[in-house]
Amino acid sequence: EEPSEVPEVLPLISGLTPVISGAAPAADTVRILTIKPPRYIFYSLSGFLCDIVQLFIDLTVHFALSVDDPSTCWAIGFGMSIVVRHSS
């Protein structure tokens, strides 16, 4: 009786180690089921995550600093989120 062959298991996501260590951008190293997604996907995901961060900054500015004007709150929040946006 021949031993049964074990099917090869494809990793769902690979190439995250250089991204986490900061050595390479995700668009250059990440593969999903061995397929390299288009760079635009990473820009969209990054922008979405930065918007979520800015939302929490805006809420913090509104409640902690009692800023009631929406434009002022947005301007302060956007200014504070620039570091996150440039590092994403």
Side-chain angles (χ1 to χ4, degrees), residues 19-37:
V19 176
I20 293 170
S21 68
D28 292 342
T29 61
V30 172
R31 303 283 187 274
I32 300 173
L33 293 174
T34 69
I35 299 170
K36 183 178 179 181

Side-chain angles (χ1 to χ4, degrees), residues 1-44:
E1 185 175 315
E2 293 182 31
S4 61
E5 292 185 27
V6 177
E8 183 179 339
V9 178
L10 293 175
L12 179 61
I13 299 176
S14 62
L16 290 176
T17 303
V19 176
I20 293 170
S21 68
D28 292 342
T29 61
V30 172
R31 303 283 187 274
I32 300 173
L33 293 174
T34 69
I35 299 170
K36 183 178 179 181
R39 187 171 288 270
Y40 180 75
I41 298 293
F42 294 101
Y43 290 135
S44 298

Side-chain angles (χ1 to χ4, degrees), residues 13 23 43 52 58 70 72 78:
I13 299 176
Y43 290 135
I52 298 299
D58 290 347
T72 303
F78 185 77

Side-chain angles (χ1 to χ4, degrees), residues 30-78:
V30 172
R31 303 283 187 274
I32 300 173
L33 293 174
T34 69
I35 299 170
K36 183 178 179 181
R39 187 171 288 270
Y40 180 75
I41 298 293
F42 294 101
Y43 290 135
S44 298
L45 182 60
S46 174
F48 170 73
L49 293 174
C50 288
D51 289 344
I52 298 299
V53 168
Q54 185 176 348
L55 171 65
F56 285 105
I57 291 172
D58 290 347
L59 291 172
T60 301
V61 168
H62 174 68
F63 290 111
L65 302 178
S66 299
V67 177
D68 291 327
D69 179 49
S71 296
T72 303
C73 190
W74 177 87
I76 293 169
F78 185 77

